[in-house]
């Protein structure tokens, strides 16, 4: 017999003709293939720079599962979803920041935070830290810009001026924004450093005997900032106020004075205070005590009142009021 010269007829379409039709990519989305993909072939969808599929997913892969008899089945992209804009990061070019994915602890140089993800913040220079008011992490939830402060050197508390040991100054500082707890260190014992922007306030260690002088009472709060600290020279531009000794006031009752004084210089609240024997006032305070009997005068004076001034750690004795001579 002779061989047949008739062509063979296949019962199946040629594999190259079967597959899935690739739809046009959505906004800010790119596919690594176009037109058509073979059965069991894989398409990779990638978001444009500054976009992601959410939760840090930057790529999706879709497999064509077309039946070999179906040559124009549309590739199902429903699992891919739309590309969502990241939260762009606004930071100085020399901010010195390091961004770490909270999900994987992997460092990234991506200049935006994908929606639904969190970056942990740190500083590339070990000698610097995030400022006091800068949170240690940022999260993108609404595709809005995120501003991050630059890493800064810290202020050294030990560089503040020493106060006299008897009235030594404590420095109180708050480590965390919104915290109700102040951390206390004593100068110059502490080698603590505080972040740029940290508020500081001063108080005396022995408040029974010492207080900030009246003229310095409003100088008890500063901050670790350019206003008070030279970060280049690593020195303070300011000094802490001195704790001055309080003054005791004696002979109020025995000297026949009214217990409530007039405040000439000092805390207005003292005018509502009833002083007892050995009552104390802070340095720089000036009070006027009046004889309880309006017909009496301060002994050796033509006045019926005495003005006393506290000049730090002194005992003040009021000259008694006496009957005036006719």
């Amino acid at each position: 017999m002779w061989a047949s010269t008739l062509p063979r007829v296949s019962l199946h379409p040629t594999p190259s003709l079967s597959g899935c039709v690739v739809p046009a990519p959505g906004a800010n989305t790119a596919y690594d293939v176009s037109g058509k993909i073979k059965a069991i072939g894989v398409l990779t969808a990638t978001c444009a720079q500054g976009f992601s599929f959410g939760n840090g997913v930057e790529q999706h892969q879709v497999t064509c599962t077309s039946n070999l008899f179906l040559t124009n089945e549309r590739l199902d992209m429903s699992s891919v979803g739309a590309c969502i804009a990241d939260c762009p990061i606004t930071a100085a070019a020399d901010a010195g920041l390091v961004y770490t994915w909270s999900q994987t602890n992997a460092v990234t140089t991506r200049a935006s935070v994908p929606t639904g993800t969190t970056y942990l913040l740190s500083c590339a220079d070990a000698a610097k830290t995030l400022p006091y008011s800068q949170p240690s992490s940022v999260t993108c939830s609404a595709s809005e810009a995120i501003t991050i402060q630059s890493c800064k050197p810290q202020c050294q508390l030990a560089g503040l001026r020493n106060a006299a040991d008897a009235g030594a100054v404590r420095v109180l500082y708050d480590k965390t924004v919104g915290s109700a707890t102040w951390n206390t260190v004593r100068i110059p014992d502490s080698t603590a450093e505080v972040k740029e922007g940290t508020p500081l306030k001063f108080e005396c260690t022995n408040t029974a005997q010492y207080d900030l002088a009246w003229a310095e009472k409003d100088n008890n709060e500063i901050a670790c900032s350019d206003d008070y600290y030279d970060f280049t020279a690593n020195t303070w531009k300011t000094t802490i106020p001195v704790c001055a000794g309080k003054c005791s006031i004696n002979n109020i009752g025995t000297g026949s004075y009214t217990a409530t004084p007039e405040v000439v210089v000092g805390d207005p609240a003292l005018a509502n205070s009833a002083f007892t024997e050995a009552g104390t006032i802070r340095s720089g305070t000036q009070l006027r005590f009046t004889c309880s009997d309006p017909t009496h005068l301060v002994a050796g004076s033509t006045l019926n009142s005495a003005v006393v001034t506290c000049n730090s750690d002194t005992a003040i004795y009021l000259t008694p009021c006496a009957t005036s001579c006719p």
Side-chain angles (χ1 to χ4, degrees):
M1 297 186 63
W2 62 89
S4 172
T5 58
L6 295 176
R8 289 178 176 272
V9 177
S10 174
L11 297 179
H12 302 284
T14 304
S16 61
L17 297 178
S18 62
C20 302
V21 175
V22 178
N28 302 301
T29 307
Y31 298 155
D32 63 341
V33 294
S34 61
K36 195 171 184 179
I37 185 172
K38 294 180 180 180
I40 316 177
V42 177
L43 173 146
T44 300
T46 306
C47 287
Q49 184 174 359
F51 291 80
S52 75
F53 293 109
N55 296 319
V57 178
E58 298 178 282
Q59 289 187 339
H60 268 302
Q61 290 187 325
V62 181
T63 302
C64 173
T65 56
S66 171
N67 187 298
L68 293 179
F69 288 100
L70 300 177
T71 59
N72 291 302
E73 182 177 359
R74 187 178 178 85
L75 184 62
D76 183 5
M77 303 295 293
S78 60
S79 63
V80 175
C83 287
I84 307 169
D86 294 353
C87 290
I89 292 175
T90 300
D94 59 350
L97 295 162
V98 177
Y99 307 134
T100 303
W101 292 90
S102 64
Q103 296 93 326
T104 62
N105 285 327
V107 174
T108 178
T109 57
R110 189 183 184 115
S112 57
V113 185
T115 299
T117 63
T118 297
Y119 281 179
L120 305 178
L121 306 178
S122 58
C123 297
D125 186 343
K128 296 182 178 181
T129 62
L130 297 171
Y132 168 78
S133 58
Q134 175 59 58
S136 59
S137 65
V138 291
T139 300
C140 177
S141 57
S143 300
E144 297 178 347
I146 297 175
T147 299
I148 304 177
Q149 300 175 58
S150 301
C151 290
K152 298 279 189 178
Q154 300 187 95
C155 296
Q156 296 181 356
L157 295 184
L160 287 167
R161 183 187 69 189
N162 295 349
D165 190 47
V169 174
R170 278 192 298 237
V171 178
L172 291 82
Y173 65 96
D174 191 357
K175 285 184 177 178
T176 308
V177 175
S179 171
T181 302
W182 287 76
N183 299 272
T184 304
V185 296
R186 178 170 169 163
I187 301 300
D189 299 341
S190 175
T191 57
E193 294 181 323
V194 294
K195 295 181 177 181
E196 189 271 340
T198 300
L200 305 170
K201 61 182 180 181
F202 307 117
E203 67 176 21
C204 301
T205 56
N206 185 353
T207 55
Q209 291 182 287
Y210 295 88
D211 208 340
L212 301 178
W214 175 255
E216 294 192 282
K217 68 177 181 61
D218 295 326
N219 297 329
N220 69 328
E221 293 187 12
I222 63 171
C224 172
S225 68
D226 290 319
D227 290 337
Y228 300 100
Y229 198 80
D230 185 335
F231 288 98
T232 301
N234 205 26
T235 57
W236 289 92
K237 300 177 182 178
T238 187
T239 55
I240 58 178
V242 174
C243 286
K246 294 180 179 181
C247 296
S248 62
I249 301 178
N250 304 273
N251 292 357
I252 298 173
T254 57
S256 300
Y257 286 92
T258 56
T260 304
E262 173 193 346
V263 179
V264 180
V265 177
D267 186 355
L270 293 175
N272 300 318
S273 302
F275 277 77
T276 58
E277 289 301 313
T280 57
I281 56 176
R282 76 166 77 201
S283 179
T285 301
Q286 193 174 78
L287 302 178
R288 183 190 303 276
F289 286 89
T290 303
C291 296
S292 54
D293 187 332
T295 65
H296 289 186
L297 299 178
V298 177
S301 166
T302 59
L303 303 174
N304 74 333
S305 64
V307 175
V308 296
T309 302
C310 175
N311 292 315
S312 181
D313 200 21
T314 55
I316 298 173
Y317 289 87
L318 292 171
T319 302
C321 292
T323 303
S324 59
C325 295

